[in-house]
Amino acid sequence: KLVGRFETYLVKPELGDEYEANPLRYFRERGFLARTHHVVYRSGCEYTLNDDEVERVKQEDDLPAGFLRRLADDKERNLRIVRKLLSLDKGTPTIVYACTVAHAYFLSVILTANGRKAATISSDTSATLRRALIRDFKVGDVEFLCNYGVLTTGFDAPKTACIALCRPTTSEVLYEQIIGRGLRGERFGGTRECT
C-alpha cells in the first residue's frame, strides 16, 4: 500500500533467508536489538469500564483519561507497583510509565522516600531540567525516570534495562513506542537484555 501511495519502489535489504524468516530474531542475534524478558505482573485486581468509557475507547483507540485516573488513585494497586519496583536490583536503569502526571510524581516521591534515586519528567518540565534529568538517568545518578506520555518518542537512553509499564493501553503504536525505549542492542550502544 505504501509503495502505491508514494509512487516509489520498496527497498528491501538482501540479508538472506534467516532475515526473511524472522527479522526480529535476525537483529536480536546480531546484537542490534536487545533480548527481551516480558514479565506480566498479575495483581488479581479487576477493573471495569463504564458504558461512556467503552464508547470513548472506540472513538479514541485508547483508554480514557478518567479510567487512567481511577487506576492512578488505587492505593492497593500503587502499593503493588511500588513493591515490584523496589524489588528490582539497585542501579537498574528503569523508565516508569505512569497512568497520569500526578501518578508519575507520586511514584517518584515514594521511590525516593524508600532510598532509591527517582525523578519525574512531565510536559511542564523545563528543557534545561529535562536535559539534566535525562543525563543523570543515562549516567546512573537517577535509577527510576517516571513520566506520563512524555518519554515515548524522540527520547534516547540506550542503557535502559527495564521498562515499567504501569499504565495500560489499547494502542499498539503507543505500546511499541514505550517498549522500544528499551530495545536498543549492544551494537547500537544499548543493552544485551531488557525487562
Side-chain angles (χ1 to χ4, degrees):
K1 287 182 179 179
L2 290 175
V3 169
R5 174 122 174 126
F6 293 106
E7 299 174 2
T8 187
Y9 296 102
L10 179 63
V11 178
K12 289 177 66 178
E14 294 294 331
L15 300 174
D17 293 338
E18 191 178 351
Y19 170 80
E20 291 293 327
N22 190 328
L24 290 176
R25 184 182 324 139
Y26 178 89
F27 287 116
R28 264 189 230 113
E29 288 176 353
R30 283 156 183 78
F32 293 105
L33 290 175
R35 296 186 184 277
T36 57
H37 297 284
H38 187 230
V39 177
V40 177
Y41 181 63
R42 300 207 184 275
S43 67
C45 299
E46 290 189 20
Y47 301 92
T48 57
L49 298 169
N50 61 39
D51 292 340
D52 183 49
E53 290 169 336
V54 170
E55 285 304 311
R56 291 192 98 163
V57 169
K58 292 176 185 175
Q59 294 168 4
E60 299 171 10
D61 196 33
D62 202 1
L63 296 167
F67 178 72
L68 293 176
R69 277 193 300 277
R70 284 203 321 268
L71 293 182
D73 293 340
D74 185 323
K75 291 180 179 133
E76 183 60 35
R77 183 176 188 275
N78 285 328
L79 183 60
R80 290 169 190 249
I81 289 170
V82 169
R83 283 183 183 149
K84 190 67 175 172
L85 292 174
L86 290 174
S87 74
L88 296 174
D89 291 339
K90 281 196 173 190
T92 301
T94 303
I95 303 174
V96 178
Y97 291 89
C99 293
T100 65
V101 172
H103 191 227
Y105 280 106
F106 170 79
L107 293 173
S108 178
V109 167
I110 297 299
L111 291 166
T112 301
N114 279 276
R116 305 296 280 271
K117 301 172 192 171
T120 301
I121 291 180
S122 75
S123 60
D124 293 332
T125 305
S126 71
T128 304
L129 180 56
R130 185 182 297 214
R131 279 192 301 274
L133 292 173
I134 289 172
R135 181 198 63 233
D136 289 350
F137 178 73
K138 287 179 178 182
V139 300
D141 292 338
V142 169
E143 181 179 4
F144 295 98
L145 194 53
C146 303
N147 80 105
Y148 169 74
V150 176
L151 303 176
T152 54
T153 59
F155 168 68
D156 186 38
K159 296 294 185 182
T160 300
C162 185
I163 302 291
L165 188 52
C166 301
R167 63 144 305 168
T169 181
T170 57
S171 168
E172 286 184 42
V173 172
L174 178 60
Y175 181 78
E176 289 173 0
Q177 289 172 335
I178 289 171
I179 298 304
R181 301 306 99 202
L183 294 185
R184 182 177 295 188
E186 292 177 301
R187 299 267 305 262
F188 281 136
T191 57
R192 178 186 300 266
E193 299 177 345
C194 182
T195 301

